[in-house]
Amino acid sequence: QVQLVESGGGLVQAGGSLRLSCAASGRTFTNYCMGWFRQAPGKVREFVARINRSGGNPYYADSVKGRFTISRDNAKNTVYLQMNSLKPEDTAVYYCAATARLGINKYDYEYDYWGQGTQVTVSS
């Protein structure tokens, strides 16, 4: 089992920044590719970004490319999502997730473990 706990959400004005963190515990962190997803009210959960086991090859949804940066610190068992130039449409609950699968991993069914989510609200 892998336990994931997100933090860092909050209320921010449009154009502002937030950094989300996801602390992992349980099994060996470096065995897992890590991803971020989000779900806005009334919408399906969508892929945001993912990073491979060693911290390379980040992959982003088109909607966040150039604004968000995913990174990980394997010594701290933590993955981050730096979010800049936030827009009201970025408002959602953000989830981190872990998968042992190789590949792009941009679909939620590919992930085995999920955090409880952290709310991000961007005001206009």
Side-chain angles (χ1 to χ4, degrees), residues 3-22:
Q3 292 78 42
L4 303 171
V5 179
E6 302 97 334
S7 60
L11 174 63
V12 64
Q13 289 189 329
S17 298
L18 282 174
R19 188 175 83 151
L20 305 183
S21 299
C22 173

Side-chain angles (χ1 to χ4, degrees), residues 38-76:
R38 66 186 181 186
Q39 187 167 20
K43 295 189 176 182
V44 298
R45 187 163 54 189
E46 65 173 359
F47 169 79
V48 175
R50 69 73 127 156
I51 194 164
N52 70 12
R53 299 171 183 184
S54 62
N57 199 24
Y59 184 83
Y60 300 94
D62 288 344
S63 58
V64 306
K65 201 172 295 182
R67 300 188 298 122
F68 290 13
T69 302
I70 188 171
S71 61
R72 66 191 290 167
D73 185 337
N74 286 341
K76 295 182 178 180

Side-chain angles (χ1 to χ4, degrees), residues 21-118:
S21 299
C22 173
S25 61
R27 295 189 177 177
T28 305
F29 185 58
T30 51
N31 286 346
Y32 297 92
C33 169
M34 299 299 296
W36 285 97
F37 289 76
R38 66 186 181 186
Q39 187 167 20
K43 295 189 176 182
V44 298
R45 187 163 54 189
E46 65 173 359
F47 169 79
V48 175
R50 69 73 127 156
I51 194 164
N52 70 12
R53 299 171 183 184
S54 62
N57 199 24
Y59 184 83
Y60 300 94
D62 288 344
S63 58
V64 306
K65 201 172 295 182
R67 300 188 298 122
F68 290 13
T69 302
I70 188 171
S71 61
R72 66 191 290 167
D73 185 337
N74 286 341
K76 295 182 178 180
N77 289 356
T78 302
V79 62
Y80 304 98
L81 186 68
Q82 177 67 45
M83 305 186 294
N84 298 330
S85 303
L86 282 161
K87 305 175 181 179
E89 50 264 44
D90 295 318
T91 295
V93 177
Y94 283 71
Y95 299 90
C96 73
T99 178
R101 298 178 188 228
L102 300 176
I104 296 295
N105 294 324
K106 66 177 182 178
Y107 299 105
D108 57 3
Y109 64 79
E110 297 177 291
Y111 289 79
D112 303 304
Y113 303 102
W114 293 84
Q116 83 289 347
T118 186

